[in-house]
Amino acid sequence: MKQTVGIRFSKYGQVLACIHDAESEAPLAVGEYAFVTSDHGQHCGHVAWQRPWDDELEASLKAANAAVHRMSSSLDAEDSTEEGAEHNAPMPVARRATDEERMAADGNALLSREAHLFCRQCIADRKLDMKLVDVEVLFDRSKMIFFFTAPTRIDFRDLVKDLVRQYRTRIELRQIGVRHETQMLGALGNCGMVCCCRRYLHKFAPVTIKMAKEQNLFLNPAKISGICGRLLCCLSYEQENYDTFHRSCPKLGKRYQTADGPMRVLRSNMFRNTVVVLPDGGQELEMTLEEWQALKPSRAETPSVQTGKEQKPQQNNMMVVSAAPETLDDVLAELAAIEPDADASPVPSRDVAMLDSEEAQHKKKPRHHPDNHDKNRRPRPAREKSRHTAPDDDLR
């Protein structure tokens, strides 16, 4: 009899679905130690959930495992070849951990907490603008992964030196986003429940402000934003239904020629599957989409004008640096070549073309000339001769 178990290897880690052979040994219970050997190495963790094996859930469990592996690796999540190979990979097999393996797992957990405190102290001493989220130690202690968030690129060459000298193992600093930080730490959402990304989401779907507008939500950032400060992930849950409704619904504010005369579409209601129209010289009418289509509406087609430039796909600028004691000098040299020179002169914030245009306008302005100023002045009345001036007869 097979058993499906979910194992969590770290306090803030994702759950990995595994298969346990319950015929050779007793079934695993929630909270027990389990040991897993997979293509990604050896791991020892706690059982988060367990249930009997079901063939129908195999495909979904494999997809969830592939998402967990992509999150915990430095590979690009959009790599289709790697993603397809992980979907077809068999599920890892779990067994009950031995006493030695449990002691090693407890030692790694203690080392992770100590490394977390040590790294935070180093960050504070060097005044780096970064926030340490979690530290993961592999079972054989061959590598330690430090997850952090930062608003910009960080020059942490000195930090890597401190960590390598302290632990004498392979160190990897991995920058994550605020969404992944909330996914790792967990929090309560606006609905009062644990965030979806912490409970079951393994991949973030793109969420735009257009979704909130199409769902007629108040565009209040406090209402449509999550704990991470980004748009709520749940805005994309019903977006497919809204897209289907808007494709079959007439455009709002447009006039249509129908069998009952011209009408203007005012509002629409997805939950009631209705539209509100206003006939010329009549009152508002609410009808279903079927009744609206029965009127055979038509509208003069206007050529669509394409506005705006095509948006380029955003590139992932997250930093992932891995260094070992024997390769520390080479890695630091590469970082020195990548990091911008701090002593370099700052780049002007204004565009060169803008500067040229401003200089050109400045040159076109007429300069202040005294001659022109005198021409524009009003003529003053002639002054009377002074009393002290002698007459002409006296001058003679």
Side-chain angles (χ1 to χ4, degrees):
M1 177 182 177
K2 292 183 179 180
Q3 182 187 19
T4 308
V5 293
I7 304 177
R8 180 178 282 116
F9 304 111
S10 61
K11 183 178 180 180
Y12 302 124
Q14 292 292 320
V15 179
L16 183 68
C18 305
I19 300 176
H20 173 61
D21 189 3
E23 296 180 356
S24 58
E25 55 181 353
L28 290 172
V30 176
E32 284 192 273
Y33 281 92
F35 189 83
V36 179
T37 302
S38 63
D39 297 338
H40 298 268
Q42 297 178 345
H43 308 277
C44 184
H46 294 83
V47 178
W49 53 264
Q50 61 85 24
R51 64 189 63 176
W53 171 256
D54 189 359
D55 295 335
E56 297 179 357
L57 297 178
E58 183 177 3
S60 59
L61 292 177
K62 287 183 178 180
N65 287 348
V68 171
H69 288 316
R70 288 197 303 271
M71 289 171 54
S72 59
S73 63
S74 58
L75 297 177
D76 189 1
E78 298 180 356
D79 192 350
S80 58
T81 305
E82 186 70 19
E83 183 177 355
E86 288 183 349
H87 275 282
N88 297 327
M91 294 180 59
V93 179
R95 61 172 176 83
R96 185 174 277 102
T98 61
D99 296 338
E100 293 79 6
E101 293 169 348
R102 289 182 225 171
M103 293 178 61
D106 294 338
N108 291 340
L110 180 61
L111 178 61
S112 176
R113 291 192 293 269
E114 293 178 355
H116 193 281
L117 296 176
F118 178 77
C119 186
R120 288 186 60 182
Q121 185 63 35
C122 294
I123 293 174
D125 295 341
R126 301 193 177 278
K127 298 180 181 181
L128 298 177
D129 189 11
M130 58 187 294
K131 177 184 176 183
L132 185 64
V133 179
D134 188 23
V135 180
E136 181 180 349
V137 182
L138 298 188
F139 181 76
D140 55 357
R141 297 191 179 184
S142 60
K143 183 170 67 172
M144 300 176 64
I145 306 175
F146 294 80
F147 299 92
F148 71 95
T149 59
T152 57
R153 295 184 66 88
I154 303 297
D155 183 9
F156 44 70
R157 286 173 287 181
D158 296 334
L159 179 61
V160 173
K161 291 180 182 179
D162 296 339
L163 296 176
V164 171
R165 291 168 183 170
Q166 178 69 18
Y167 299 105
R168 307 304 301 176
T169 186
R170 188 177 182 85
I171 301 297
E172 181 174 329
L173 292 172
R174 184 176 302 172
Q175 184 179 3
I176 60 176
V178 290
R179 287 180 180 268
H180 290 88
E181 179 187 4
T182 306
Q183 186 180 42
M184 296 178 66
L185 299 180
L188 294 179
N190 299 337
C191 58
M193 302 183 66
V194 180
C195 294
C196 300
C197 58
R198 176 62 179 170
R199 284 190 295 161
Y200 61 88
L201 283 183
H202 299 290
K203 187 177 182 180
F204 294 105
V207 184
T208 60
I209 194 65
K210 182 181 177 182
M211 297 181 180
K213 294 180 180 179
E214 292 181 351
Q215 298 176 21
N216 296 326
L217 299 177
F218 292 104
L219 301 182
N220 186 357
K223 298 294 183 181
I224 61 176
S225 300
I227 301 298
C228 58
R230 301 294 188 268
L231 293 176
L232 292 169
C233 296
C234 55
L235 292 178
S236 62
Y237 294 169
E238 301 178 358
Q239 186 60 30
E240 184 177 357
N241 297 332
Y242 280 94
D243 292 340
T244 304
F245 173 75
H246 288 302
R247 281 195 295 267
S248 59
C249 178
K251 295 183 178 180
L252 302 183
K254 301 298 182 180
R255 290 175 57 88
Y256 289 83
Q257 186 67 32
T258 64
D260 295 344
M263 296 183 181
R264 183 184 297 274
V265 182
L266 300 181
R267 298 182 299 275
S268 62
N269 192 328
M270 189 198 73
F271 300 100
R272 301 177 61 176
N273 200 29
T274 59
V275 293
V276 177
V277 298
L278 179 63
D280 290 352
Q283 298 181 351
E284 295 183 1
L285 299 177
E286 184 177 6
M287 60 183 66
T288 62
L289 291 181
E290 290 77 10
E291 295 174 351
W292 170 257
Q293 295 297 335
L295 296 178
K296 299 180 179 179
S298 61
R299 188 171 66 91
E301 297 293 338
T302 57
S304 60
V305 180
Q306 297 181 358
T307 59
K309 298 181 180 180
E310 297 182 357
Q311 297 181 358
K312 298 181 180 180
Q314 298 181 357
Q315 297 180 357
N316 187 10
N317 295 326
M318 297 301 178
M319 302 177 65
V320 178
V321 177
S322 180
E326 59 274 6
T327 61
L328 180 59
D329 297 335
D330 298 338
V331 173
L332 294 179
E334 294 178 0
L335 284 176
I338 296 175
E339 293 295 334
D341 189 4
D343 300 334
S345 59
V347 181
S349 58
R350 294 190 301 173
D351 192 6
V352 179
M354 187 181 298
L355 291 175
D356 296 340
S357 61
E358 291 181 358
E359 292 178 358
Q361 293 178 3
H362 181 70
K363 291 180 180 179
K364 290 180 181 179
K365 287 185 178 180
R367 296 183 178 180
H368 178 72
H369 296 285
D371 299 339
N372 297 337
H373 183 68
D374 295 340
K375 292 179 180 179
N376 296 330
R377 289 176 55 185
R378 294 181 179 180
R380 294 183 180 182
R383 292 184 178 182
E384 297 180 358
K385 294 184 177 179
S386 176
R387 297 177 182 178
H388 301 285
T389 306
D392 296 338
D393 298 338
D394 298 339
L395 292 175
R396 294 177 184 174

